Structure formats: structure tokens, C-alpha cells
Amino acid sequence: MRADRLVSLVLLLRQRGRLTAATLARELEVSTRTVLRDIEALSAAGVPVYAERGRHGGFALLPGFRTELTGLNHDEALALLTAGSGRGEQVFGLGSALASAMRKVVDALPEGHRAVASDATRRFLVDPETDLLSRRLVGEEIPGTTMIEVRRAVLAGHKLRIRYQASGQTAQWRTVDPIGLVTVRDRGYLLATRSGADRTYRLSRVLDAEELPERAQRPNRVDLDRIWRERSAKFLSGGDHITVLVRVNPALREDLLDTVLAVRAEEPDADGWLRLEVTFQDARHAQWALWQLGMDAEALAPQSLRTSLRDRAAAIAARYEDPS
């Protein structure tokens, strides 16, 4: 355990620069006294860690210090190998790089751990191509050269020129300031700003991309999770979106969720069914989605949706009326 902690301490200092003993203790979940003992142990082992005193002091490594020390334990290596078995990495065009990294992880493991780790990953399956109903999960196709340009601009902090084809529109070139990349259910998104305004671009609709030499106008630090939540909330509150209260047979819950934009509330109903408040793209989308579920779902509100479903059912019944 101590060896793993010493490696973690070195990696923290390498990645984040000067840190106080209190910060290191919090990150490593130990006492400050333990951190001070670990610092002494690293110094004795020849790791060039030094202390800076004063208000903004702390511990740091000498500039340029590098080490091949990784200290991966079995569970850490297993976590990396398992994560690498999913398909999400394909969204950002990192599949080949991840495969290469996984080979290096396996090679770095002690001889006795390699077979165990390889066997363990064969017992985990992440995001197979089909679900239990044999429905194929369709991923997005993004040209490799395009993804490389987008990824480079995001990481380098440079402006990005993209030829983007919005739904139902002609493709156009536009220059954006990239903030970050997000993947959700095998769909990739570029979060950016354009002329200071927030923009979210579907990566599969980026037909061409070019990293520009100019620096992007963006903050040095970013909280992608917060930005994504804010943009999701803004998206759900705009346009012609419709909120529907619906009862559904629990066996068809996932089928319903596959069609909605968001779930706002969910609770069990008195008869064993589920009562959900969900958001659809528009009224037509809601009618189509609930019609697919037949007698296994019932729209409770709004009344306009109930009326449209009733009228549609009446029209179908009339068409198939017995002519005799």
C-alpha cells in the first residue's frame, strides 16, 4: 500500500506542480504527518522533491524530472483494461491509440499478474453491439482525419474551422473556439463558442475540420460536467419540447426511455405500473413514441396529446371496421 501511495504522490506533484502537505494529505486520504514521512522517504530514494516555505509554499519536484515509475497495481490495470474494452473511445478517434496503450499496460504488469488480468477482462463485457432483444446499437461514423483536427484544436487551445451540416440544412464553414469533447451513448459532441455565444456541435455532422494557429478565446480551466448540465437544461427548456405525464408497463420502461429527451420524475403507480414525467422533442414525437407502446402505455397529460392519440385510434378502428 505504501509503495502505491508514494507513486501517487510523485504523480500528483508531476501533474499538478507545487502542492501543500494538507492538499496532498487530502488527495491521498492520509494524515499530513504521513505525507511528511513519505516526502522524506522519496528524498532518501533519490527523488528530487523539495520544500518551498512561505505563504504560497509547498512541495514540488525539480523542473524536468521524469520517471518511468507507474506502480500500477492489479485492480488499477484491470480498470484500464476493462475501460478499454468499451466502444466509447471510437467516438473521439482514439481506438488505435487506446489499443496500443492497453498493450503497454499488460506488458508493464508483473509476469504473474498478466494471465490473471487478461482472464479477468474476458469476464467483463462493456457496451456490446446488440442488446438482449438483438437490437443493434448504431454508433456514429466520424472520419479519422476530421476527428484528429478537432481533437488537436481542443487540446492545443487553438481556434477550429469546421464544415458543419446542421439537420435539414446545407453544410457551411464556421470558425469556433473549442472548449471540450463529450460522448453520450456513443454520440460525440464538440462544446464550443462562436463569437462569444455557446454552441454545441454533433461530431457526426462535422464534415471537415481544420485546426487554426490562432489561440482560442476560452478560460484556462474548464468544468465540462457543469457546462454539459447547463447546456442540457437550456436545450430542454427551448424550442417546441413537450412534457408528458405517462403511465407505462415496467416491462416497456426502457423502450419508452429510448425515445425521450429527458426524464424529469419517476415513481411507482398504484397498480404496479410506473408513472413518469418525460420530455419529447415535440407533440408529434410524443404521439409517435407512445403509439409504439400500444396498450402498455397511457398518456395522462397534456389533454391535447390524449385527444390526438384517441382520434388516431378511432381512425384506425374505422378503417378496419368489418364491412359486413
Side-chain angles (χ1 to χ4, degrees):
M1 284 296 294
R2 191 188 186 196
D4 290 342
R5 191 175 68 246
L6 291 175
V7 171
S8 297
L9 196 157
V10 172
L11 294 178
L12 281 170
L13 294 178
R14 276 182 53 187
Q15 295 167 8
R16 294 167 56 178
R18 184 172 58 247
L19 295 172
T20 66
T23 299
L24 288 167
R26 185 170 59 252
E27 292 286 341
L28 298 172
E29 299 182 343
V30 296
S31 67
T32 54
R33 180 175 297 181
T34 297
V35 168
L36 294 177
R37 285 200 299 264
D38 288 348
I39 293 292
E40 290 179 1
L42 289 172
S43 296
V47 178
V49 57
Y50 66 99
E52 289 187 352
R53 301 187 182 280
R55 181 180 177 184
H56 300 291
F59 295 101
L61 296 169
L62 285 178
F65 172 72
R66 302 288 297 175
T67 176
E68 298 304 317
L69 186 63
T70 59
L72 282 176
N73 62 34
H74 176 266
D75 285 348
E76 290 168 342
L78 180 58
L80 287 175
L81 293 170
T82 301
S85 68
R87 297 184 297 114
E89 78 281 354
Q90 299 173 7
V91 175
F92 296 149
L94 293 170
S96 59
L98 183 58
S100 175
M102 292 303 101
R103 287 194 294 270
K104 293 178 181 178
V105 169
V106 172
D107 185 67
L109 290 174
E111 185 67 34
H113 289 177
R114 292 179 191 172
V116 175
S118 297
D119 179 69
T121 57
R122 284 194 290 268
R123 300 182 185 278
F124 296 161
L125 180 59
V126 181
D127 288 336
E129 292 187 356
T130 62
D131 62 15
L132 282 175
L133 300 179
S134 297
R135 295 174 299 189
R136 181 168 292 276
L137 305 178
V138 181
E140 295 186 326
E141 294 294 331
I142 305 170
T145 54
T146 298
M147 193 62 246
I148 289 174
E149 290 293 309
V150 172
R151 194 171 66 241
R152 283 177 177 171
V154 169
L155 296 179
H158 290 168
K159 287 185 178 291
L160 178 67
R161 188 167 176 259
I162 59 175
R163 188 163 70 93
Y164 189 76
Q165 186 170 25
S167 180
Q169 299 182 24
T170 303
Q172 294 183 347
W173 284 98
R174 57 201 71 185
T175 299
V176 303
D177 295 301
I179 295 174
L181 295 168
V182 175
T183 176
V184 181
R185 295 183 179 178
D186 284 345
R187 291 183 178 180
Y189 299 89
L190 167 66
L191 305 188
T193 60
R194 185 182 177 204
S195 300
D198 292 344
R199 293 289 185 268
T200 302
Y201 299 101
R202 184 94 161 262
L203 287 176
S204 61
R205 294 174 181 165
V206 178
L207 305 183
D208 293 292
E210 177 187 2
E211 178 191 2
L212 302 179
E214 294 90 351
R215 297 294 300 176
Q217 299 298 312
R218 66 181 192 179
N220 293 328
R221 294 185 177 275
V222 63
D223 185 346
L224 278 186
D225 187 53
R226 175 185 59 79
I227 294 174
W228 181 255
R229 289 198 308 268
E230 291 174 351
R231 295 197 181 185
S232 296
K234 185 176 180 181
F235 174 77
L236 291 174
S237 63
D240 298 323
H241 299 163
I242 180 175
T243 298
V244 175
L245 183 61
V246 58
R247 293 175 66 251
V248 64
N249 184 333
L252 276 294
R253 176 183 180 275
E254 294 304 318
D255 295 72
L256 172 65
L257 298 191
D258 282 344
T259 65
V260 305
L261 292 178
V263 179
R264 296 181 177 273
E266 179 177 356
E267 62 182 8
D269 213 352
D271 59 358
W273 278 29
L274 298 173
R275 183 179 293 241
L276 296 94
E277 185 178 351
V278 295
T279 300
F280 290 100
Q281 183 72 40
D282 50 34
R284 184 178 179 182
H285 177 209
Q287 182 186 124
W288 171 85
L290 294 177
W291 186 263
Q292 310 308 307
L293 300 179
M295 297 298 294
D296 287 301
E298 177 189 1
L300 302 177
Q303 183 59 44
S304 57
L305 177 60
R306 288 179 59 88
T307 300
S308 64
L309 287 167
R310 182 197 63 204
D311 292 347
R312 182 174 185 179
I316 293 292
R319 171 164 295 182
Y320 291 99
E321 215 171 43
D322 189 348
S324 60

